[in-house]
């Protein structure tokens, strides 16, 4: 009987296992010169390797790799979704000690949820409802895929009620005084750009990174202009639509100093999109240090956008207009900013007695 990989050397039998992930394992000495004994040993080794392979493939870490690869290949996941899913799922797998998928049941998941609820968030407080809900949804997506692809016979989260994510109004925004203090002494041109474009145009940080010079229009007399958030070679807007934001007078003055830069308005100027926004450029620490010096240690990139919208709401700008400038749904804008929109006496006077 001829078996692939079985050969003799100096009268003794050896077996060369098949390739794994493009590499060929070392030959295994069978320590026999008898034909039948060598064949039986190879059968035992093959059976053992098949068992080990099936156990490995049934482990959570291995299936996370398969899940993310499948989602990326189908185009269902963006780079950011891939990165977030990888971090969350591997954190769960580590907590469960890389379990067999068949050992994950409803009680296991509920115990993990109870544990994650008690974990501190970024500011030392307990994990928010929305964060816990997000983690649960990532896990459910993974387990749903495992069930659809017949890696597990039953769905362990089928009877778990996810509940609605509690959305709380974001109260963090800069006053006009805090805004001007941050703008007075930025430590770098990059941060100066970020602060101006955040406070006076409400761009998301990812949009700041993607901004190219053709987004910017300034009239020949320099008295008006706009920013058009649009799709680029490397990036698509979150709302998938163009939106145009008129330039605030202070932005007009800023761009006169800053000028037009390429290929990206925000340095460093790289010709390739290096997995932005997480890796191409991220002055998070620089912003945090500057904000702390200015007495506004709560400030993040999103605080700038939130301040832009909140200031508009405080000036009684209609929610529909704010939503158009932000590229968000009116419902979302109302949830976050309606509390800052003042009610005028003229509106009250129109109420019937």
């Amino acid at each position: 009987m001829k078996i692939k990989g079985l050969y003799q050397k100096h009268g003794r039998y050896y077996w060369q296992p098949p390739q794994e992930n493009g590499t060929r394992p070392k030959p295994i000495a069978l320590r026999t010169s008898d034909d039948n004994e060598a064949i039986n040993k190879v059968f035992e080794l093959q059976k053992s390797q098949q068992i080990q392979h099936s156990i490995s493939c049934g482990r959570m870490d291995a299936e996370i790799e398969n899940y993310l690869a499948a989602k990326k290949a189908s185009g269902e996941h963006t780079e950011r979704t891939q990165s977030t899913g990888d971090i969350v799922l591997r954190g769960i797998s580590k907590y469960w000690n890389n379990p067999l998928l068949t050992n994950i049941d409803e009680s296991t998941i509920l115990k993990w949820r109870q544990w994650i609820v008690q974990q501190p968030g970024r500011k030392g407080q307990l994990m928010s409802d929305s964060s816990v809900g997000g983690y649960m949804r990532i896990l459910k997506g993974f387990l749903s895929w495992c069930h659809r692809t017949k890696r597990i016979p039953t769905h362990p989260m089928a009877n778990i009620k996810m509940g609605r994510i509690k959305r709380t109004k974001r109260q963090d925004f800069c006053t006009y005084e805090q805004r001007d203090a941050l703008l007075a002494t930025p430590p770098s041109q990059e941060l100066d750009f970020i602060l101006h474009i955040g406070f006076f145009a409400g761009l998301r940080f990812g949009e700041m990174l993607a901004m190219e010079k053709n987004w910017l229009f300034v009239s020949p007399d320099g008295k008006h202009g706009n920013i058009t958030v649009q799709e680029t070679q490397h990036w698509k807007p979150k709302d998938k639509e163009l939106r145009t934001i008129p330039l605030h007078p202070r932005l007009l003055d800023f761009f006169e100093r800053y000028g037009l830069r390429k290929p990206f308005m925000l340095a460093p100027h790289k010709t390739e999109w290096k997995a932005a926004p997480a890796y191409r450029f991220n002055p998070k620490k620089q912003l945090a240090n500057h904000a702390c010096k200015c007495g506004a240690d709560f400030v993040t990139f999103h605080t700038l956008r939130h301040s832009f919208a909140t200031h508009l709401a405080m000036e009684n700008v209609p929610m529909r207009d704010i939503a158009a400038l932000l590229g968000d749904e009116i419902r979302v804008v109302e949830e976050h900013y309606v509390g800052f929109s003042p009610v005028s006496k003229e509106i009250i006077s129109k109420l019937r007695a």
Side-chain angles (χ1 to χ4, degrees):
M1 180 185 292
K2 188 175 181 180
I3 297 178
K4 188 174 181 178
L6 181 64
Y7 64 93
Q8 267 188 316
K9 186 176 181 181
H10 305 303
R12 308 286 283 182
Y13 275 103
Y14 293 81
W15 181 58
Q16 176 73 67
Q19 287 190 17
E20 294 179 0
N21 301 321
T23 60
R24 186 174 292 280
K26 292 181 179 180
I28 298 172
L30 301 179
R31 294 186 172 84
T32 182
S33 55
D34 182 77
D35 296 353
N36 290 331
E37 188 178 356
I39 291 170
N40 289 333
K41 284 192 173 184
V42 170
F43 283 151
E44 289 176 6
L45 286 168
Q46 287 176 335
K47 184 178 179 181
S48 173
Q49 287 191 349
Q50 287 170 358
I51 293 170
Q52 290 298 322
H53 179 70
S54 65
I55 291 175
S56 172
C57 288
R59 295 277 176 186
M60 188 169 178
D61 278 349
E63 297 306 340
I64 290 171
E65 290 281 351
N66 296 329
Y67 168 69
L68 294 174
K71 291 296 180 180
K72 185 175 182 179
S74 66
E76 294 178 63
H77 279 183
T78 63
E79 282 191 32
R80 184 173 181 179
T81 305
Q82 283 279 107
S83 177
T84 303
D86 187 44
I87 292 169
V88 171
L89 291 172
R90 292 202 184 282
I92 298 172
S93 179
K94 184 177 180 181
Y95 174 77
W96 284 335
N97 294 318
N98 187 23
L100 283 167
L101 290 178
T102 51
N103 289 344
I104 301 173
D105 56 20
E106 187 174 319
S107 63
T108 307
I109 293 166
L110 292 176
K111 285 178 183 176
W112 169 78
R113 182 169 67 177
Q114 185 59 35
W115 175 80
I116 199 69
V117 164
Q118 297 170 356
Q119 299 308 299
R122 287 183 300 175
K123 297 183 179 180
Q125 301 170 344
L126 292 180
M127 192 78 71
S128 67
D129 290 346
S130 60
S131 295
V132 174
Y135 279 34
M136 289 288 285
R137 280 165 175 76
I138 290 172
L139 178 60
K140 185 174 183 179
F142 168 68
L143 292 174
S144 296
W145 176 83
C146 291
H147 184 232
R148 283 198 311 274
T149 54
K150 304 189 184 310
R151 284 165 165 80
I152 48 177
T154 58
H155 194 328
M157 293 185 73
N159 297 320
I160 295 179
K161 292 184 179 181
M162 300 294 290
R164 296 183 63 185
I165 295 178
K166 181 182 177 183
R167 299 189 183 276
T168 56
K169 185 188 292 184
R170 290 282 302 275
Q171 298 286 345
D172 288 347
F173 70 96
C174 291
T175 63
Y176 291 119
E177 292 76 17
Q178 289 170 328
R179 179 194 70 184
D180 292 340
L182 286 163
L183 288 166
T185 57
S188 67
Q189 283 191 326
E190 290 80 20
L191 197 59
D192 199 14
F193 175 91
I194 289 167
L195 292 170
H196 274 86
I197 213 76
F199 278 134
F200 298 115
L203 266 62
R204 303 176 179 96
F205 182 59
E207 294 168 347
M208 296 178 191
L209 283 175
M211 185 175 177
E212 299 179 7
K213 67 176 185 177
N214 62 309
W215 288 24
L216 184 65
F217 165 76
V218 179
S219 64
D221 59 9
K223 293 184 178 179
H224 64 88
N226 56 60
I227 294 172
T228 302
V229 178
Q230 56 194 282
E231 184 177 341
T232 70
Q233 176 186 353
H234 308 283
W235 178 87
K236 291 183 180 180
K238 183 178 180 181
D239 52 346
K240 299 179 182 178
E241 295 178 358
L242 296 180
R243 78 176 193 275
T244 300
I245 305 146
L247 289 182
H248 188 281
R250 290 178 69 170
L251 265 183
L252 284 167
D253 292 341
F254 171 76
F255 281 120
E256 187 176 352
R257 301 192 312 271
Y258 190 79
L260 294 176
R261 306 187 182 191
K262 62 180 185 179
F264 304 112
M265 287 290 289
L266 180 60
H269 295 163
K270 294 184 178 179
T271 56
E272 296 180 5
W273 187 252
K274 296 289 186 181
Y279 306 107
R280 186 173 77 83
F281 178 60
N282 194 342
K284 183 177 179 181
K285 187 177 291 186
Q286 187 181 139
L287 175 62
N289 291 338
H290 179 57
C292 191
K293 289 178 182 177
C294 295
D297 57 357
F298 60 90
V299 170
T300 64
F301 297 123
H302 199 74
T303 310
L304 312 180
R305 174 178 166 85
H306 193 79
S307 300
F308 167 76
T310 302
H311 294 161
L312 291 175
M314 290 169 68
E315 297 299 328
N316 218 13
V317 175
M319 291 293 150
R320 183 180 296 274
D321 293 338
I322 297 175
L325 293 172
L326 292 176
D328 273 332
E329 296 178 17
I330 296 175
R331 171 186 57 80
V332 175
V333 174
E334 285 178 340
E335 285 179 0
H336 287 280
Y337 306 109
V338 73
F340 302 107
S341 180
V343 179
S344 66
K345 293 180 181 179
E346 289 76 15
I347 294 174
I348 296 296
S349 66
K350 292 179 182 178
L351 294 174
R352 294 183 180 181

